[in-house]
Amino acid sequence: MQAFLEYVVKGLVQKPDEVSVTPVESGGQTLYELRLNRQDVGRIIGKQGVTINAIRSLLAAGSAHKGVRCSLEIIED
């Protein structure tokens, strides 16, 4: 799932070399922490959160197919 997230996010941003996806395991669920350039955060969120919600939906569908639970969080430094 991490490779999938990196592929999707890097395709949407202007600075793909600054994209970092870190998995954090907790209580049988994997939280993916997404770090990227500040200028690209708006591109990933999209208008009214449409883009990030679509990415989260794809992540949920893919993880359900594999029988695991995953979520995605944007980390702003």
Side-chain angles (χ1 to χ4, degrees), residues 16-49:
D17 55 321
E18 295 185 29
V19 172
S20 169
V21 178
T22 308
V24 177
E25 300 284 335
S26 64
Q29 182 174 346
T30 304
L31 171 68
Y32 289 100
E33 295 180 344
L34 176 61
R35 289 180 171 80
L36 50 126
N37 188 297
R38 285 182 173 263
Q39 296 172 342
D40 291 328
V41 171
R43 289 181 174 276
I44 294 300
I45 294 175
K47 290 184 179 179
Q48 298 180 351

Side-chain angles (χ1 to χ4, degrees), residues 45-65:
I45 294 175
K47 290 184 179 179
Q48 298 180 351
V50 172
T51 306
I52 191 68
N53 287 335
I55 294 170
R56 287 179 175 148
S57 295
L58 290 171
L59 178 65
S63 63
H65 182 70

